[in-house]
Amino acid sequence: MGNVMTYSGIVTKVRAMSAKLLTNKDYDNISNLGSVPEAIEYLKGKPAYAEYMNRLDVSLYHRGNVEKVLYQSLFDDYSRIYRFAGLKQKKILKLYWKRYEVDLINYCLRIVFNHYDKPFDLEYKKEFFDKYSQISIDKLITSKNIDELVDNLKDTEYYEPLYKLRKSESATLFDYDLALDLYYFSMLWKKKKRVLKGKEQEQFTREYGTKIDLLNIQWIYRAKKYYHMLPPDIYFLTIPIHYRLRLEEFKLLVEAPTLEQFEQQLKLTYYEKKFHGLDDHKTLEQMYKDCLDRLYTMDRRKDPYSIATISSYLFQKEEEIYKLTTALECIRYGLSKGETLGYLGGVVQ
């Protein structure tokens, strides 16, 4: 009864927001459109996006600007949920926000490493980061090189792992990306024990433990298939946390001499049913998303008055934005309806 009372208001709010998510029929309709302006006009008729799309001037009807507006929709949804949240749920949402912080830093790293002439374009995120984040966008956008970028993170938790890397003076963009991911997952794994208790901790552990296992499987597979990396190098790439994938199983996957042996070993793990058939028509990324979607759905059905309802909605919203931006890119390049739907479903053509 306690959980029902604690979560009743926020669950009611999230259910109302969920009713506005796009359907398979919507994606079918969008994939059949002939231009980006037509897609924008279509989204103007959808309750979740009408307000945001109507802000766009016709001269700004291209994918980059639309993507910014879509992310404003996501951050607005996060704000609505946060306002309805109690103290316990706010702690969880603050942990969730850290993914957006890591994504922001990754974007900035690409700007300074690749010496883009185009200036930082983060104004559409500023309102939300000023409200929820330890990161100052005003500081970040002044960064002209990696040293300045790291210094501009000095008052945040991300400074120390990046500063250690900067001292090496030979670190690549890949090294910084990896350091951020390793820090992010390790930090969450430690903080969940201090911040969360009982059922919230159990659900959070299941969600992020599964993510870590699946990401490690993806990275091992890619390292072997596309880069022919040796086991010592693969260990360096992976997150040193194991949930359902036991340490012994993890080592056998990393040290499998061939892809065929990797796949055979994977069939002996907990994830065999979830990752069955690495060579079928689904991309590895889509199988990862499908696994998480099933996890969220099962947790939400089992215990609707819990963190699972919040996590599930934010995951669905992020996936919706990914699909919309992918669809817009397909439309821009003149792909057929079938090809576009294939990309939206993560199906290899």
Side-chain angles (χ1 to χ4, degrees):
M1 186 59 153
N3 242 28
V4 174
M5 295 297 291
T6 303
Y7 278 90
S8 60
I10 200 166
V11 166
T12 300
K13 181 66 176 174
V14 170
R15 282 175 179 167
M17 293 162 67
S18 297
K20 297 179 181 179
L21 291 169
L22 299 182
T23 65
N24 288 335
K25 179 64 175 173
D26 287 318
Y27 292 121
D28 190 75
N29 291 336
I30 291 169
S31 299
N32 208 29
L33 298 174
S35 68
V36 171
E38 284 181 51
I40 293 171
E41 290 302 317
Y42 183 87
L43 291 174
K44 284 182 179 180
K46 295 294 160 184
Y49 297 107
E51 174 189 350
Y52 309 99
M53 291 301 161
N54 280 313
R55 296 175 188 171
L56 272 181
D57 186 85
V58 176
S59 63
L60 301 176
Y61 275 20
H62 59 78
R63 188 225 170 178
N65 285 323
V66 175
E67 188 171 354
K68 294 173 202 168
V69 172
L70 293 174
Y71 272 98
Q72 283 180 313
S73 156
L74 168 64
F75 294 148
D76 273 349
D77 282 357
Y78 178 94
S79 296
R80 291 190 182 99
I81 294 171
Y82 194 88
R83 286 197 297 270
F84 266 79
L87 184 61
K88 185 188 294 186
Q89 293 116 20
K90 279 186 166 72
K91 288 180 180 179
I92 298 166
L93 285 165
K94 285 176 181 176
L95 289 179
Y96 205 102
W97 185 266
K98 293 185 183 299
R99 180 70 255 172
Y100 304 142
E101 291 182 333
V102 169
D103 288 344
L104 174 70
I105 296 170
N106 273 327
Y107 167 83
C108 293
L109 284 167
R110 275 154 182 73
I111 294 287
V112 298
F113 258 99
N114 295 317
H115 307 291
Y116 289 148
D117 293 330
K118 195 173 180 180
F120 290 91
D121 187 7
L122 297 171
E123 189 62 32
Y124 69 104
K125 292 185 176 183
K126 187 177 180 320
E127 173 190 350
F128 304 99
F129 273 78
D130 284 351
K131 188 180 296 184
Y132 299 112
S133 180
Q134 61 191 298
I135 293 174
S136 167
I137 283 180
D138 286 334
K139 284 185 179 180
L140 288 187
I141 60 176
T142 67
S143 307
K144 296 182 179 63
N145 52 54
I146 188 62
D147 289 338
E148 290 184 13
L149 179 59
V150 173
D151 285 340
N152 285 329
L153 291 166
K154 199 164 190 175
D155 296 326
T156 76
E157 65 189 282
Y158 305 104
Y159 175 73
E160 187 175 349
L162 297 184
Y163 176 72
K164 288 177 181 176
L165 196 58
R166 187 183 73 179
K167 286 167 65 177
S168 74
E169 297 184 354
S170 60
T172 65
L173 175 59
F174 177 82
D175 294 326
Y176 278 94
D177 282 349
L178 181 62
L180 267 179
D181 277 336
L182 292 178
Y183 169 76
Y184 167 72
F185 283 108
S186 300
M187 171 272 299
L188 284 183
W189 204 247
K190 291 175 185 174
K191 280 196 173 184
K192 68 182 174 63
K193 294 181 180 178
R194 298 200 302 268
V195 174
L196 307 175
K197 304 294 179 187
K199 189 167 287 186
E200 277 81 13
Q201 186 185 121
E202 179 187 324
Q203 290 181 335
F204 193 89
T205 298
R206 185 159 55 249
E207 175 187 339
Y208 279 87
T210 301
K211 279 185 179 180
I212 290 167
D213 281 350
L214 293 175
L215 283 171
N216 276 338
I217 290 170
Q218 276 195 76
W219 292 345
I220 295 168
Y221 180 77
R222 286 188 168 282
K224 288 180 176 294
K225 182 171 183 177
Y226 300 112
Y227 306 108
H228 311 292
M229 295 174 70
L230 297 174
D233 299 316
I234 297 175
Y235 280 120
F236 178 72
L237 287 178
T238 54
I239 304 163
I241 294 168
H242 310 285
Y243 179 55
R244 298 279 192 181
L245 191 66
R246 293 182 290 109
L247 180 59
E248 296 80 6
E249 295 172 329
F250 171 78
K251 287 180 177 179
L252 288 170
L253 289 173
V254 172
E255 295 175 16
T258 66
L259 272 180
E260 291 73 21
Q261 287 168 288
F262 169 88
E263 292 176 24
Q264 288 301 316
Q265 185 57 44
L266 186 57
K267 289 178 181 179
L268 302 177
T269 71
Y270 168 82
Y271 293 100
E272 187 275 333
K273 291 180 182 177
K274 301 179 185 299
F275 251 42
H276 180 65
L278 287 176
D279 59 346
D280 68 7
H281 296 296
K282 283 283 183 83
T283 63
L284 204 61
E285 291 82 359
Q286 190 59 42
M287 287 191 282
Y288 165 78
K289 292 175 182 179
D290 288 347
C291 288
L292 289 178
D293 188 44
R294 286 197 294 271
L295 173 68
Y296 287 126
T297 301
M298 288 187 329
D299 275 356
R300 190 180 68 242
R301 287 175 179 168
K302 182 180 176 183
D303 194 357
Y305 292 94
S306 71
I307 178 184
T309 296
I310 300 171
S311 297
S312 178
Y313 176 77
L314 290 171
F315 173 80
Q316 288 177 306
K317 183 72 175 186
E318 289 163 12
E319 281 302 290
E320 182 167 285
I321 290 173
Y322 168 78
K323 286 183 176 181
L324 283 173
T325 52
T326 300
L328 290 171
E329 196 72 355
C330 290
I331 291 169
R332 187 166 77 90
Y333 282 104
L335 271 61
S336 69
K337 177 180 177 179
E339 290 172 317
T340 300
L341 289 174
Y343 279 110
L344 297 190
V347 176
V348 180
Q349 299 295 314

